[in-house]
């Protein structure tokens, strides 16, 4: 397979060197490959790794007083695994201020598997924050923070017939979109042995990713428990796309509700999951505190439940959950890569009304409103109702049905 071009490449290549560029992404998604490609175009670069004790010690010597001197002999600087360096935020702020004040700006790039939140304070995952939907004054910031996710479907089929999108859906719902698995030629083979081999490799890769993720979680939230994180991940994998009952989950895990929220927030900060909350704006009886969780790459979820079986062997509920998860992440990645301030919610009535559509799978808010009903097959999208209470109330919001056959038009 030809090299797949990443949508993020032009943004990284055209980065304004007045700011530090922070590239966040899950392990194995291709951060280092992308950044190294750009740095090679600019000539020699100093590369430091937060996972190397000597490099970490060198970085920890940086302070406000000596940051300018630290940068003086460096044309460009790459800090990999920045999240592994104790006190990295303070170090980066010192470097950013020194670089911005310098007459000759250096290219400084960091990669991290944890969202360091350099441009903002911690967001409350469980409350609505309208500031997320407002454009930030980019010029006043010291950092440009971007996210490299697993491949998008568009990236995979960019040089081929767009109709291949629907053909890729079944594979993506099983093996995800991480570069190594998405470019594995054997995964497209009809030979049973090749598929088994592929799934064995997937299990090895996912096992490695899970181990790295659990280590990252203890860096992001050191007072929380590693085993509880593993238990929570398995529970979320089992409840993929369903509305979560946090009180019930608290009892199952033996955690207080507020502590459970800390665990969920840490998982999101470590880029393992994305939250989708319920939308409540105008209708009496709208769900106001609902939460669903989707994995940023479905292969890790399938690994956690030990199921890499083909979609033909999955039940209807599982098919719906997998397709909704794929669609949610594709739309999220699309908006994120386009640097658009759009949030995705779901909508639900607390009391079901017979004969009425009482839920909408996804509602996008930020640049107008757009809503989606997902169905792996047309007959599984029976709740699509253009005359529903939701449509009549939010009359400015367009409602769309999406299936694998129509997915390409939504990307």
């Amino acid at each position: 397979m030809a090299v797949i071009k990443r949508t993020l490449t032009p943004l990284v290549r055209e980065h304004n060197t007045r700011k530090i560029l922070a590239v966040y992404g899950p392990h194995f998604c291709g951060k280092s490959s992308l950044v190294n490609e750009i740095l090679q175009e600019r000539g020699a670069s100093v590369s430091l790794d937060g996972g190397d004790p000597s490099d970490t010690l060198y970085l920890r010597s940086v302070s406000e007083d000596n940051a300018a001197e630290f940068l003086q002999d460096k044309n460009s600087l790459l800090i990999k695994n920045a999240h592994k360096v104790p006190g990295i935020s303070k170090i980066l702020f010192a470097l950013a201020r020194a670089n911005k004040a310098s007459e000759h700006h250096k290219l400084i790039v960091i990669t991290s598997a944890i969202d360091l939140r350099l441009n903002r304070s911690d967001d409350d995952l469980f409350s609505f924050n309208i500031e997320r939907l407002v454009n930030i004054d980019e010029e006043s910031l010291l950092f440009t923070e971007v996210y490299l996710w697993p491949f998008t479907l568009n990236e995979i089929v960019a040089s081929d017939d767009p109709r291949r999108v629907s053909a890729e859906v079944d594979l993506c719902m099983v093996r995800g979109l991480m570069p190594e698995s998405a470019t594995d030629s054997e995964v497209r083979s009809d030979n049973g042995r090749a598929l088994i081999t592929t799934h064995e490799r997937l299990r090895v890769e996912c096992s490695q990713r899970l181990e790295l993720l659990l280590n990252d979680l203890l860096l992001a939230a050191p007072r929380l428990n590693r085993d509880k994180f593993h238990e929570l991940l398995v529970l979320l994998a089992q409840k993929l796309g369903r509305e979560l009952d946090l009180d019930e989950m608290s009892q199952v895990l033996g955690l207080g509700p507020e502590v459970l929220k800390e665990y969920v927030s840490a998982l999101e900060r470590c880029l393992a999951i994305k939250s989708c909350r319920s939308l409540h704006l105008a209708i009496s009886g709208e769900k106001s505190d609902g939460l669903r969780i989707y994995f940023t790459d479905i292969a890790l979820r399938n690994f956690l439940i030990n199921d890499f079986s083909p979609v033909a062997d999955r039940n209807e509920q599982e098919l719906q959950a997998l397709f909704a998860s794929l669609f949610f992440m594709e739309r999220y990645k699309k908006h994120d890569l386009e640097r658009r301030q759009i949030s995705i919610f779901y909508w639900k009535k607390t009391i079901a009304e017979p004969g009425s559509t009482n839920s909408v799978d996804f509602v996008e808010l930020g640049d107008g409103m757009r809503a989606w009903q997902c169905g792996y097959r047309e007959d599984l999208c029976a709740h699509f109702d253009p005359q529903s209470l939701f449509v009549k109330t939010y009359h400015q919001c367009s409602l769309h049905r999406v299936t694998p056959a129509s997915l390409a038009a939504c990307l």
Side-chain angles (χ1 to χ4, degrees):
M1 178 179 283
V3 174
I4 296 177
K5 295 181 180 179
R6 302 307 301 259
T7 307
L8 196 62
T9 300
L11 190 151
V12 175
R13 181 175 282 122
E14 297 162 12
H15 169 65
N16 180 351
T17 55
R18 291 175 64 249
K19 306 174 188 176
I20 289 182
L21 175 64
V23 182
Y24 304 136
H27 290 286
F28 296 7
C29 73
K31 300 185 295 298
S32 295
S33 298
L34 172 66
V35 172
N36 283 326
E37 176 187 342
I38 305 303
L39 289 176
Q40 286 173 5
E41 297 173 0
R42 293 175 175 255
S45 170
V46 174
S47 179
L48 302 173
D49 190 338
D52 184 301
S54 60
D55 286 353
T56 296
L57 188 62
Y58 181 43
L59 284 166
R60 294 189 70 184
S61 69
V62 175
S63 67
E64 292 284 351
D65 295 332
N66 67 11
E69 182 181 353
F70 180 88
L71 292 173
Q72 192 170 13
D73 62 343
K74 299 172 178 64
N75 177 48
S76 59
L77 172 64
L78 168 62
I79 305 174
K80 298 186 292 185
N81 294 310
H83 59 287
K84 295 184 178 181
V85 180
I88 187 61
S89 294
K90 185 177 180 180
I91 294 168
L92 292 176
F93 271 99
L95 292 174
R97 282 189 278 263
N99 191 51
K100 190 171 184 178
S102 172
E103 184 178 346
H104 302 290
H105 303 130
K106 310 299 179 73
L107 174 63
I108 306 173
V109 184
I110 71 162
T111 64
S112 172
I114 298 177
D115 183 347
L116 298 177
R117 295 171 176 168
L118 298 168
N119 283 330
R120 63 200 187 283
S121 59
D122 289 357
D123 290 325
D124 182 357
L125 172 65
F126 295 88
S127 65
F128 183 76
N129 186 352
I130 195 65
E131 292 180 0
R132 293 177 180 175
L133 306 180
V134 179
N135 288 329
I136 300 172
D137 179 12
E138 295 282 349
E139 286 305 311
S140 66
L141 302 176
L142 292 171
F143 303 91
T144 297
E145 296 177 290
V146 299
Y147 298 83
L148 185 67
W149 302 105
F151 282 138
T152 66
L153 279 167
N154 270 343
E155 287 173 331
I156 289 179
V157 304
S159 59
D160 300 313
D161 187 338
R163 288 174 296 184
R164 268 196 54 221
V165 168
S166 60
E168 290 284 338
V169 168
D170 285 3
L171 290 172
C172 293
M173 285 164 54
V174 175
R175 50 93 164 128
L177 285 152
M178 280 295 183
E180 186 171 338
S181 56
T183 57
D184 189 342
S185 60
E186 286 189 359
V187 82
R188 290 173 175 75
S189 170
D190 291 329
N191 181 287
R193 170 171 288 182
L195 290 175
I196 291 172
T197 303
T198 295
H199 292 168
E200 288 173 347
R201 285 203 296 269
L202 262 177
R203 286 187 174 90
V204 171
E205 179 184 327
C206 288
S207 177
Q208 294 171 341
R209 286 172 51 203
L210 178 60
E211 183 67 18
L212 291 168
L213 171 61
L214 292 172
N215 291 338
D216 291 344
L217 287 163
L218 294 185
L219 291 175
R223 75 183 193 88
L224 301 183
N225 182 276
R226 177 188 174 99
D227 291 339
K228 288 296 181 184
F229 271 120
H230 194 186
E231 289 180 49
L232 175 57
L233 280 165
V234 173
L235 190 57
L236 292 175
Q238 294 167 343
K239 296 179 177 292
L240 179 70
R242 298 185 221 168
E243 190 170 73
L244 300 180
D245 184 330
L246 295 179
D247 290 333
E248 176 188 342
M249 291 176 62
S250 294
Q251 293 178 8
V252 170
L253 295 168
L255 300 171
E258 294 305 313
V259 177
L260 174 59
K261 291 180 181 181
E262 291 185 47
Y263 276 85
V264 175
S265 294
L267 283 172
E268 183 153 36
R269 189 179 173 195
C270 289
L271 312 175
I273 62 170
K274 294 303 301 181
S275 61
C276 182
R277 293 178 298 107
S278 56
L279 180 70
H280 53 103
L281 294 177
I283 303 176
S284 175
E286 289 176 314
K287 185 77 175 180
S288 62
D289 58 353
L291 179 70
R292 295 174 180 171
I293 294 295
Y294 297 97
F295 283 73
T296 54
D297 187 62
I298 202 64
L300 181 60
R301 179 267 178 176
N302 289 335
F303 172 76
L304 287 163
I305 63 170
N306 192 30
D307 188 357
F308 284 108
S309 61
V311 295
D313 295 338
R314 312 262 181 147
N315 61 39
E316 181 176 304
Q317 184 181 45
E318 176 77 352
L319 288 174
Q320 285 291 88
L322 287 169
F323 182 65
S325 178
L326 176 69
F327 177 77
F328 173 84
M329 280 308 304
E330 286 302 296
R331 291 295 295 180
Y332 183 89
K333 287 184 282 188
K334 172 182 172 62
H335 298 317
D336 190 56
L337 289 167
E338 294 174 357
R339 307 287 282 173
R340 302 175 71 204
Q341 299 293 322
I342 292 178
S343 293
I344 306 178
F345 304 85
Y346 71 95
W347 178 83
K348 183 179 180 180
K349 285 276 287 179
T350 55
I351 300 177
E353 300 176 6
S356 174
T357 299
N358 296 293
S359 66
V360 174
D361 291 329
F362 301 111
V363 181
E364 297 176 343
L365 184 63
D367 181 16
M369 290 182 72
R370 181 176 296 163
W372 308 88
Q373 296 286 43
C374 295
Y376 178 70
R377 298 191 303 268
E378 288 283 348
D379 62 306
L380 296 182
C381 203
H383 58 307
F384 180 79
D385 181 6
Q387 302 301 317
S388 66
L389 174 62
F390 176 86
V391 174
K392 291 177 180 177
T393 303
Y394 297 110
H395 53 84
Q396 77 280 21
C397 179
S398 57
L399 180 66
H400 308 267
R401 175 178 13 216
V402 58
T403 65
S406 61
L407 184 58
C410 307
L411 306 179

